[in-house]
Amino acid sequence: MVQKSLLITRPFYENPTNYLFHWSKPLIDLARTKRFDVIDLGEKKAVRKEIEGRLRKVVPNLVVFNGHGSEQIILGQDAEPLIIEGQNESLLSDTIVYTRACLSARSLGVSCIKKGVKAYIGYIEDFIFMFDPAHITRPLEDKIAELFLGPSNQVVRSLIKGNTARESDESGKKLFLKNIFRLLTSETAKEESETVRYLIWDMRHQICLGDGNAVV
């Protein structure tokens, strides 16, 4: 049996990347329990030279980017560009990609599909999440952040478990919807109820490009 592989970037240099860094750890743990070979590019390893070198040596089944981005760029540690449309997205050919970053599915994702990426799940607008400043040192205990990062994690969890790209995209959206309905139909703290419009925003702007039947 051929071992599957996951390449994941985890920059860590300010509050948003702090949260994504820590919320990616359960995904790494899950992948390892499923016997994936995990290439964890955290902090100083989340740079262009490192990721290009890894992608030239191995074709991961699944690539997960965490951090900031734009329509044409995915950023890594200290906002260093990792993947730039028209320069190096062809290195992702034959992989399935999930990008937890703003805007990248709008243009870069489309180019990735043209360059041979099997499926690209990401966001055509800003990916927004809220967090409780009291939990900055304990991000995984932050229930506000969980409303957003739980559903986005669910996309990757579903892919790791062998579901299709389309099913995984829908699985994440269903968890967003579940959180939205829970907040609308129960007595919640003001801080939580204010998150609803942003949960709806993320859910609506998450898309799956390419082959929806692709599996890791």
Side-chain angles (χ1 to χ4, degrees):
M1 182 177 178
V2 178
Q3 186 176 25
K4 296 179 180 179
S5 58
L6 162 68
L7 185 152
I8 185 167
T9 67
R10 296 196 298 153
F12 183 175
Y13 58 95
E14 26 78 296
N15 287 336
T17 53
N18 166 34
Y19 269 75
L20 298 182
F21 177 91
H22 285 95
W23 273 87
S24 293
K25 184 61 167 58
L27 301 175
I28 292 171
D29 293 342
L30 175 64
R32 285 178 172 151
T33 65
K34 297 294 184 180
R35 301 187 181 279
F36 276 63
D37 177 29
V38 177
I39 303 167
D40 178 14
L41 302 184
E43 300 179 83
K44 293 182 180 180
K45 290 185 177 181
V47 293
R48 180 170 178 174
K49 180 180 178 180
E50 188 77 23
I51 193 169
E52 287 187 340
R54 298 301 185 105
L55 290 172
R56 287 191 173 103
K57 290 179 181 178
V58 63
V59 179
N61 300 90
L62 176 61
V63 179
V64 176
F65 292 104
N66 290 285
H68 297 290
S70 67
E71 292 184 30
Q72 297 177 312
I73 300 174
I74 296 170
L75 303 176
Q77 184 66 18
D78 299 321
E80 176 181 333
L82 299 182
I83 304 295
I84 304 173
E85 182 178 339
Q87 293 190 21
N88 61 352
E89 72 270 38
S90 61
L91 292 173
L92 297 167
S93 180
D94 294 323
T95 69
I96 293 176
V97 176
Y98 171 63
T99 302
R100 186 154 47 184
C102 297
L103 292 161
S104 72
R106 183 180 291 185
S107 184
L108 176 59
V110 174
S111 183
C112 282
I113 298 301
K114 292 178 180 178
K115 296 294 178 62
V117 169
K118 294 178 181 178
Y120 188 106
I121 303 173
Y123 301 87
I124 56 174
E125 293 289 349
D126 288 343
F127 173 75
I128 298 171
F129 73 92
M130 300 174 68
F131 59 89
D132 180 355
H135 286 85
I136 285 176
T137 59
R138 305 182 311 280
L140 289 171
E141 298 176 16
D142 190 333
K143 296 301 181 183
I144 299 294
E146 184 178 7
L147 293 168
F148 299 87
L149 302 183
S152 60
N153 265 15
Q154 179 58 28
V155 176
V156 183
R157 291 177 61 85
S158 181
L159 288 167
I160 290 171
K161 290 179 178 180
N163 295 306
T164 68
R166 183 182 298 108
E167 289 168 340
S168 300
D169 175 51
E170 290 301 322
S171 183
K173 290 176 179 175
K174 286 178 181 177
L175 189 49
F176 270 123
L177 194 60
K178 181 179 178 180
N179 289 345
I180 291 164
F181 278 125
R182 179 172 64 81
L183 293 173
L184 290 174
T185 59
S186 63
E187 291 187 10
T188 59
K190 181 180 178 182
E191 294 79 4
E192 287 189 331
S193 63
E194 290 177 347
T195 66
V196 169
R197 60 176 170 169
Y198 299 114
L199 291 168
I200 294 172
W201 173 271
D202 287 343
M203 180 182 67
R204 286 181 172 174
H205 294 110
Q206 177 183 300
I207 65 169
C208 177
L209 302 170
D211 182 4
N213 293 317
V215 294
V216 171

